[in-house]
Amino acid sequence: MGSMFDEKDFLACCGSTKFAKEMVAAGPFSTHQDAIHAARDIWFNKVDVNGWLEAFAAHPQIGQSPSPDHKSPTFAQWSKGEQSTALATATDSTLQELFEGNARYREKFGFFFLICASGRSTPEILSELKIRYQNRPIIEFEIAAQEQTKITELRLSKLFSDRTDTAPTIKPLSTTNIATKAEEDRVNIIGAHLTAATGAKPAHIPKRTRPPITTHVLDTSRGCPANGIEVRLEMWKDNQARPQFGKDNFGGWIILGSSATDKDGRSGQLMNMVEALVPGVYRISFNTGRYNPDGFFPYVSIVFEIRESQKWDHFHVPLLLSPFSLSTYRGS
């Protein structure tokens, strides 16, 4: 039996063509919750950077009406409805401030400010825009992807609500436990993504879709991902001591794996695909000197500790690299 939704339906939920095609292939879905779980998995694991940018570009600028020529009339209609609170609370001055803020934001990040605007006032949105404008590009790019997830889930609920009375009987998903798999992805894949609705860990820990420690390197001096940087992951194995600042810390580090970043700036597999991380101190190192012999950093090492309570989490350690500065943050 074919799905009761086609690509146009899913394009109304998310403007990525790849997302829409993958949703059709993953269907049919027995409930809208199954569709939401599949959507999370597809968005974070199958849609690439170009697909994310395509989805971002489909949205009208906050404070403006959608284009009448939008490729999905339903998308445009829903966008207008989601901005209704913002438009109702706007004044000429706040709309002008939004316009100017969006222009600055786009100049810095390359796309318009994206936020799930449903039920949010113009002052709220302006405040969020000003806060997020201070972010580094790689951080803001991932936050925008989170906001797209919220919008997609909201619209999938609308989509299924519209078809409830006429929906055919559909077999539940059976070949893959997408709901369980995507719930793990939702919490763990990209730093600080949406937390699970209940805030509790599932009784059964699902299988991971990628190693629990990953990294991503962006070359801010060139404005692109850093391809070909050697990356090494190690763990401190000396049970009698722990590495400390200002002391010799030789002999206790055991290498878990090494790789090199790809054209997207992402490392390959740095460790085995384990369910539970061993609590302890880890070190991830980047051979930045070989990547840029004229740069300031011959290499970069980041040391972090994973606690017992965090062993089920995912740790994403991006590196923002420029000739004379660097920045990192950890997502779990």
Side-chain angles (χ1 to χ4, degrees):
M1 178 186 296
S3 172
M4 64 185 189
F5 301 118
D6 57 22
E7 286 185 26
K8 289 183 179 179
D9 292 317
F10 292 121
L11 273 174
C13 300
C14 174
S16 163
T17 304
K18 173 72 171 176
F19 173 86
K21 290 181 181 295
E22 290 287 346
M23 285 294 287
V24 170
F29 306 107
S30 58
T31 67
H32 86 278
Q33 198 62 39
D34 282 338
I36 285 174
H37 290 320
R40 295 171 195 155
D41 174 55
I42 289 168
W43 178 246
F44 289 123
N45 294 316
K46 297 181 181 179
V47 178
D48 61 15
V49 169
N50 291 327
W52 282 16
L53 290 173
E54 181 188 14
F56 298 167
H59 291 278
Q61 182 177 337
I62 292 291
Q64 295 187 351
S65 299
S67 168
D69 300 323
H70 197 285
K71 60 184 177 183
S72 170
T74 303
F75 187 110
Q77 177 187 345
W78 284 345
S79 291
K80 187 174 181 180
E82 288 158 6
Q83 291 197 41
S84 60
T85 301
L87 293 174
T89 56
T91 63
D92 289 344
S93 62
T94 55
L95 282 177
Q96 180 64 25
E97 193 175 356
L98 261 181
F99 178 80
E100 293 173 354
N102 254 311
R104 289 192 299 272
Y105 180 97
R106 188 176 189 182
E107 183 178 356
K108 179 176 180 178
F109 299 110
F111 50 88
F112 281 128
F113 176 69
L114 182 63
I115 188 171
C116 185
S118 183
R120 305 188 76 163
S121 68
T122 293
E124 285 181 87
I125 293 172
L126 271 172
S127 176
E128 189 70 16
L129 190 157
K130 291 173 182 176
I131 292 170
R132 285 172 49 187
Y133 180 79
Q134 306 302 319
N135 288 334
R136 297 282 188 173
I138 191 171
I139 298 175
E140 184 57 24
F141 189 61
E142 295 185 354
I143 291 175
Q146 297 170 21
E147 293 300 312
Q148 177 61 59
T149 301
K150 297 177 187 178
I151 295 167
T152 300
E153 294 183 8
L154 178 65
R155 294 183 180 184
L156 282 170
S157 296
K158 292 178 183 177
L159 191 66
F160 273 78
S161 178
D162 290 345
R163 303 286 180 90
T164 299
D165 295 334
T166 58
T169 301
I170 302 173
K171 293 181 179 180
L173 299 175
S174 57
T175 57
T176 304
N177 188 353
I178 292 179
T180 302
K181 174 172 170 288
E183 191 66 22
E184 175 76 2
D185 291 344
R186 184 190 194 195
V187 179
N188 296 327
I189 290 240
I190 297 179
H193 279 310
L194 301 173
T195 55
T198 63
K201 292 288 184 182
H204 171 68
I205 302 300
K207 291 184 177 180
R208 295 183 185 269
T209 59
R210 61 180 65 187
I213 299 176
T214 57
T215 189
H216 185 192
V217 186
L218 179 66
D219 186 337
T220 58
S221 66
R222 301 176 184 176
C224 64
N227 185 9
I229 290 187
E230 296 176 69
V231 184
R232 172 180 292 193
L233 178 66
E234 299 164 286
M235 184 180 182
W236 184 258
K237 288 290 189 178
D238 188 345
N239 294 326
Q240 304 305 313
R242 55 185 285 125
Q244 294 183 14
F245 177 77
K247 294 187 177 181
D248 291 337
N249 294 309
F250 302 109
W253 292 108
I254 303 297
I255 187 167
L256 299 181
S258 62
S259 183
T261 56
D262 60 18
K263 64 181 181 180
D264 241 0
R266 299 184 184 275
S267 67
Q269 186 165 323
L270 293 173
M271 66 179 305
N272 294 331
M273 186 76 78
V274 297
E275 285 300 304
L277 277 164
V278 177
V281 180
Y282 291 79
R283 179 170 70 182
I284 189 166
S285 301
F286 305 84
N287 193 352
T288 49
R290 177 172 292 183
Y291 172 77
N292 182 9
D294 298 324
F296 187 71
F297 301 98
Y299 69 93
V300 174
S301 289
I302 302 166
V303 179
F304 54 98
E305 184 170 9
I306 296 174
R307 312 283 182 178
E308 175 70 26
S309 61
Q310 299 172 308
K311 64 184 181 182
W312 304 113
D313 291 344
H314 178 269
F315 294 83
H316 188 61
V317 189
L319 177 71
L320 301 177
L321 181 66
S322 70
F324 299 103
S325 66
L326 61 89
S327 176
T328 66
Y329 78 99
R330 193 272 296 175
S332 63

